[in-house]
Amino acid sequence: MIAYEKELNPEQCRVVMEEGGPLLVIAGAGSGKTRTLTYRVARLVEGGIPPERILLATFTNKAARSMLSRVAALIGREIGGLWGGTFHHCAHLTLRAHADRLGYARNFSIMDSEDARQLLNTCIAECGVAVKSEKFPRGEVVGEMVSLAVNTEAPLPDVIENRFPFFSHRTEEIAAVAERYRERKKTLNVMDFDDLLYNWRELLLHFEDVRELYAGRFLHVLVDEYQDTNRLQAEIMDLVASRHRNLMVVGDDSQSIYSFRGANFENIMRFPKRYPDCRIFKLETNYRSTPEILHLANLCITNNENQFQKTLRAVRGQGVRPVLAPARNVLQQADFVAQRILELHRSGIPLGQIAVLYRAHYHSMEVQMEMTRRGIPFEIRSGIRFFEQAHIKDVTCYLRIIVNSRDEMAWRRLLGLYPKIGRVTAEKVWHFVADHSDPQAAVLADEFTKSATRLAIQSLTRFQDTFRLLQAFAESGPVEMIDAVLRSGYRDLLRERYSDASSREEDLIQLANFSSRFASLADFLSELALLTNMTENGSQEETAQDRVVLSSIHQAKGLEWTAVLMIWCSEGMMPLARALKEPGGEEEERRLFYVATTRAKDQLYLCYPLTDYARGMGHLPVSPSRFIMELSPYSARAKDRPYEQWLIDDEYA
C-alpha cells in the first residue's frame, strides 16, 4: 500500500483520497499538480477501480506517458487498458470504433497540417476564387479560420470578422471554400485534427447508445490543464462523465493564457456553476520558487478580479529579492541582460538554467544580437532566430537588391513571392537583369516586363513599381524603405500567407525601428549578414544544457529555470498594446506576467528601457508596465517593495 499521508502534503492528500463526484482542483504554479494527478490515478487503481474504467486526458502524450509510468512504479505493476493521452488520441480510439455512424469508413486517414493545407489550396482552386483576386487567404490561413470556428464553436463569419477583418469582404467565398473542404474530406475518407474532436463530440451528442457506452464505461474521468481546454473539449468531457459524474479537472485559472488558440477561460471559472455540487480544492504550497519571488507573483495576480483566490506559499527558505532593472535604452537593456548572464554563469549557474522571457518574439531582437556578438550560446523557444524568419529575409532581400543589383540569391527569393513566377520564369528574369550592363536600369526598362512569359507581366509590373519606390527612398535609409515594401503589397502577402500576419507585420515595424540606428543601408545589411554568419559558424557541440533559453512567455509555460530575466516590462510591450483591445485582454496579459515570474526558482530580473525610438518622433520616454506599478506605488518605501531596484551604470552601456 502506498503511504499517501507520508508521501503527499495535506493539500495533495485530500485531493488524492477524495471518493468521487465532480472535483475542481486549482493547482498553483509549482504546487505538484502532476504528482497529485499521478497519486490520484494510483489510488483509484489500488482501491479496486479497473484501469480500463479510467480516462486521463492531457494536452501532450509526453505528459500522459510520464504520469502512467509513475503510476506503474507506485503500484508495482503495469496498468494496461487505461485510456491516457491527448484529447485527440482518445478521440481517435473512439472514432475507429464508430466512425461509420458519421458516414466515414473506419479505416479513415488522419491528415497532418501539410496535408490539410494542400487540400485547402485545392478547394480554393476548385471554388474558382484563386483567380478572382490576389487578396484571398491561402490554405493555411483558411485552415486557421476553420479551426478557430470549430474549437470555439463560433460561426465562421464571426471568426473572420473578429480575427481576420481584412478578409471580411471575402466571407462568402471563404465559407464556400470551408464547405467544399468539409465535403472533400468526407469523400476522401480523411479527417484533420479538428475533425477528431468535432466528430467525437458529434458521436457522443447525437448517438445515445455511443454516449451510454462510454459514459457507462468510464467510472472516473480526469482532465489535466483544464484552464487550456476549449469549449469543444470541455463539452466532450462533460458528456463522457455524464453517467457517473466522477469528473476531476485540474488546472490553474491564473495560468490561462491561450485564448488566441481558442482556449476558453470560462471553462474553469464556470465549472462550479455547471456542477453546483462540485468540491473545490486548492494546491497552494509551492516547491519551485523562493518566498521573495512568490511574494511578487502573489501581489501581481491579486489585481485580477475574475479568478479563484489563492496565495502561493513557499516551502523553500529565504532567497534574494527580485530585481527591477530599468535601462537607459534598448541597447543598454540587451547589454545588461548579456552581462548579467555571464555573471550568473561565472557564479556557477549553468547556461541551460538561465532564461530570457518576453511577450512577443521581436522583443528579443537586440538581445539575440548582443548575445551573438558576445558568443553566448542560446536556443530560441519562441521560433527561429529573429533575423532568420521568412518575412524578415523577404524584406531584407528587397533592400539587398537596391545595394547590389547583382545579388542573385536575393533576386530569386523575391521573384518567388509573386504569382505566376515559377522557377523557370525566375531564371529568365534573373538572366535578363544579370546580362545587362546596368541592372537597375534593366529593371526599370519596358523590356523587363516582357522578359518572361505573358502570364507573368502583371507580377513583373508590380515588382517594377516596388523597385522604383525603393529607389526613391534609397537615400532616406532602410526605415522608409521597409515601410515602402509593406505599402507596396507585402502587407497583403503576409495576410494571404500567414495566420499570424499581424505579429509578422509588427516584427517588420520593429525591424524598421532597429535599422534607424545605422548610418546607411549598406551598414545595416552588413551587420545582419555578419550576425547570421556568426550564428551559423558557432560551435555545434553545445548541448541544450549549455545554452541560454530565449522564449516567449507562452512557450515557457510549464517550465522552470534557476534565473529568469524578463525583458520589455513596459507599457505597450507587457501588456502588449494590441492584446488590450481583446475582451478580457488586460487580465490575460496580467496572467502572462504571473506565469513568467513563477518560472523563476532563485533569481528574477524585470528589465525595461527608459527610452525607445519611434519613427518620426525620435527617442521617447517609456513607462514601466502597469503590472510593475501595481506591485509598489511610488509612495512605497524601498524596503517595502517586492523588488530591489538597480541603477545600471555605464558598465552596461
Side-chain angles (χ1 to χ4, degrees):
M1 293 287 291
I2 302 169
Y4 296 100
E5 292 185 356
K6 290 184 178 180
E7 298 182 28
L8 301 168
N9 69 36
E11 295 171 344
Q12 298 167 337
C13 196
R14 282 194 291 271
V15 173
V16 169
M17 302 307 293
E18 189 66 28
E19 285 304 314
L23 307 175
L24 171 60
V25 182
I26 304 299
S31 64
K33 168 180 67 66
T34 299
R35 183 177 182 85
T36 304
L37 269 170
T38 299
Y39 274 77
R40 173 70 175 173
V41 174
R43 211 275 296 174
L44 291 173
V45 175
E46 196 174 61
I49 303 295
E52 62 271 15
R53 303 200 70 179
I54 300 172
L55 187 152
L56 172 62
T58 64
F59 275 85
T60 66
N61 285 315
K62 181 181 178 182
R65 287 194 300 269
S66 174
M67 280 189 267
L68 294 181
S69 64
R70 293 187 195 182
V71 171
L74 284 171
I75 65 176
R77 61 181 174 88
E78 294 299 320
I79 48 169
L82 188 149
W83 274 32
T86 64
F87 290 91
H88 294 88
H89 171 73
C90 297
H92 177 243
L93 293 176
T94 306
L95 289 166
R96 284 298 177 201
H98 307 285
D100 54 315
R101 306 288 290 273
L102 297 171
Y104 289 86
R106 294 187 183 183
N107 66 340
F108 65 87
S109 300
I110 301 173
M111 297 190 295
D112 61 21
S113 56
E114 178 62 20
D115 294 333
R117 185 187 63 80
Q118 290 182 359
L119 182 57
L120 276 161
N121 282 328
T122 299
C123 293
I124 291 171
E126 290 175 349
C127 289
V129 297
V131 296
K132 294 181 181 179
S133 171
E134 296 175 359
K135 296 180 176 63
F136 191 85
R138 296 195 177 187
E140 178 185 346
V141 182
V142 175
E144 182 69 15
M145 296 174 179
V146 173
S147 180
L148 279 171
V150 170
N151 288 296
T152 60
E153 298 186 340
L156 181 60
D158 290 357
V159 170
I160 296 170
E161 181 65 30
N162 295 328
R163 297 290 189 95
F164 304 87
F166 33 81
F167 289 123
S168 57
H169 63 295
R170 311 300 299 270
T171 296
E172 290 187 8
E173 293 163 293
I174 295 170
V177 171
E179 178 60 22
R180 178 65 175 166
Y181 179 57
R182 187 191 65 79
E183 294 170 350
R184 293 281 270 122
K185 286 186 293 182
K186 209 66 165 299
T187 302
L188 297 169
N189 196 36
V190 298
M191 297 185 195
D192 60 25
F193 276 21
D194 293 323
D195 290 329
L196 293 175
L197 295 182
Y198 179 83
N199 288 331
W200 188 15
R201 196 276 306 269
E202 290 296 284
L203 278 173
L204 297 172
L205 193 62
H206 299 297
F207 297 89
E208 186 176 356
D209 60 325
V210 177
R211 180 173 64 254
E212 287 301 312
L213 174 66
Y214 290 96
R217 170 178 176 172
F218 295 115
L219 284 171
H220 287 270
V221 178
L222 301 93
V223 186
D224 190 19
E225 302 286 7
Y226 193 69
Q227 78 282 346
D228 295 333
T229 56
N230 57 41
R231 289 184 62 178
L232 193 57
Q233 290 163 331
E235 188 174 353
I236 289 168
M237 292 298 100
D238 287 345
L239 290 166
V240 173
S242 59
R243 168 77 68 83
H244 302 288
R245 300 184 77 251
N246 295 322
L247 173 62
M248 186 176 93
V249 300
V250 184
D252 183 4
D253 56 291
S254 296
Q255 299 188 69
S256 178
I257 58 174
Y258 293 119
S259 64
F260 70 97
R261 292 182 184 171
N264 190 340
F265 178 66
E266 295 301 321
N267 286 345
I268 192 167
M269 297 307 299
R270 293 184 178 275
F271 190 85
K273 292 183 178 179
R274 300 205 318 275
Y275 295 91
D277 59 333
C278 83
R279 278 145 293 167
I280 302 175
F281 300 86
K282 296 180 182 179
L283 305 182
E284 298 175 292
T285 304
N286 178 282
Y287 294 89
R288 176 185 298 155
S289 306
T290 62
E292 292 80 5
I293 291 172
L294 292 185
H295 178 51
L296 185 146
N298 286 330
L299 282 176
C300 161
I301 204 62
T302 56
N303 290 283
N304 271 8
E305 294 182 3
N306 193 16
Q307 64 167 311
F308 291 102
Q309 295 293 333
K310 61 184 171 297
T311 302
L312 295 181
R313 300 181 303 272
V315 169
R316 298 180 56 195
Q318 185 177 3
V320 297
R321 278 201 297 171
V323 171
L324 180 65
R328 187 168 55 251
N329 52 39
V330 177
L331 296 179
Q332 193 184 47
Q333 176 181 243
D335 196 73
F336 168 76
V337 168
Q339 184 63 30
R340 191 63 191 144
I341 288 170
L342 293 175
E343 293 166 357
L344 291 170
H345 187 47
R346 284 196 292 269
S347 73
I349 300 176
L351 291 178
Q353 278 298 308
I354 303 172
V356 181
L357 304 185
Y358 38 84
R359 176 62 179 85
H361 191 37
Y362 69 82
H363 292 171
S364 68
M365 180 169 47
E366 289 85 4
V367 171
Q368 287 188 43
M369 295 188 70
E370 186 60 30
M371 291 179 68
T372 301
R373 288 194 189 100
R374 292 183 179 231
I376 303 172
F378 63 92
E379 61 172 314
I380 307 291
R381 295 280 178 88
S382 53
I384 62 176
R385 295 174 185 254
F386 184 85
F387 298 106
E388 295 172 8
Q389 298 175 103
H391 55 295
I392 301 297
K393 285 189 169 183
D394 289 346
V395 171
T396 53
C397 278
Y398 276 109
L399 309 190
R400 283 166 54 183
I401 64 169
I402 295 297
V403 172
N404 175 17
S405 301
R406 297 191 184 275
D407 188 334
E408 181 177 354
M409 300 311 299
W411 267 100
R412 292 185 183 277
R413 183 180 188 97
L414 292 179
L415 290 170
L417 299 176
Y418 290 80
K420 309 298 183 182
I421 298 181
R423 184 181 59 81
V424 174
T425 300
E427 186 80 14
K428 292 179 180 178
V429 175
W430 159 244
H431 281 297
F432 174 81
V433 174
D435 292 342
H436 201 282
S437 58
D438 185 348
Q440 294 207 16
V443 177
L444 300 177
D446 293 339
E447 290 80 6
F448 176 77
T449 58
K450 305 171 185 176
S451 60
T453 63
R454 183 174 56 85
L455 293 174
I457 290 177
Q458 185 176 358
S459 289
L460 290 176
T461 301
R462 280 180 54 200
F463 183 92
Q464 196 176 52
D465 292 340
T466 302
F467 190 87
R468 188 177 289 109
L469 191 62
L470 290 173
Q471 274 194 324
F473 284 110
E475 295 300 319
S476 303
V479 174
E480 286 75 11
M481 295 176 74
I482 293 171
D483 280 345
V485 172
L486 282 168
R487 292 197 311 272
S488 63
Y490 193 77
R491 179 179 287 109
D492 293 332
L493 184 143
L494 287 176
R495 293 170 175 177
E496 293 163 21
R497 289 192 171 188
Y498 303 111
S499 58
D500 60 345
S502 297
S503 294
R504 292 175 186 258
E505 184 176 342
E506 204 162 15
D507 286 345
L508 292 169
I509 292 170
Q510 295 304 317
L511 179 71
N513 287 338
F514 173 76
S515 71
S516 66
R517 301 167 188 163
F518 296 88
S520 69
L521 173 59
D523 289 346
F524 170 59
L525 294 175
S526 296
E527 179 71 5
L528 296 191
L530 288 170
L531 285 167
T532 302
N533 286 331
M534 287 171 67
T535 299
E536 292 174 348
N537 296 329
S539 173
Q540 300 300 311
E541 297 180 359
E542 297 120 343
T543 66
Q545 295 299 315
D546 301 316
R547 299 175 185 265
V548 177
V549 173
L550 271 61
S551 175
S552 69
I553 301 171
H554 285 103
Q555 293 294 325
K557 185 175 172 290
L559 304 175
E560 61 183 32
W561 294 271
T562 300
V564 168
L565 298 99
M566 290 177 61
I567 59 174
W568 279 109
C569 297
S570 56
E571 276 297 297
M573 301 298 190
M574 180 72 259
L576 204 60
R578 58 180 166 82
L580 295 175
K581 300 175 183 177
E582 300 293 329
E586 181 178 354
E587 292 213 344
E588 180 155 338
E589 290 294 291
R590 189 176 286 108
R591 293 195 294 268
L592 272 164
F593 187 83
Y594 173 83
V595 166
T597 60
T598 54
R599 300 310 93 194
K601 294 191 289 185
D602 294 351
Q603 298 189 47
L604 174 65
Y605 300 85
L606 308 175
C607 313
Y608 70 95
L610 293 168
T611 62
D612 189 25
Y613 180 83
R615 283 170 293 163
M617 304 177 72
H619 291 276
L620 299 175
V622 171
S623 301
S625 167
R626 66 187 68 185
F627 306 144
I628 290 176
M629 300 304 296
E630 292 168 350
L631 294 173
S632 180
Y634 282 123
S635 59
R637 295 176 298 177
K639 68 176 185 176
D640 297 327
R641 295 171 183 161
Y643 54 78
E644 60 177 293
Q645 184 165 328
W646 286 7
L647 297 176
I648 304 175
D649 56 29
D650 289 337
E651 178 184 351
Y652 295 100

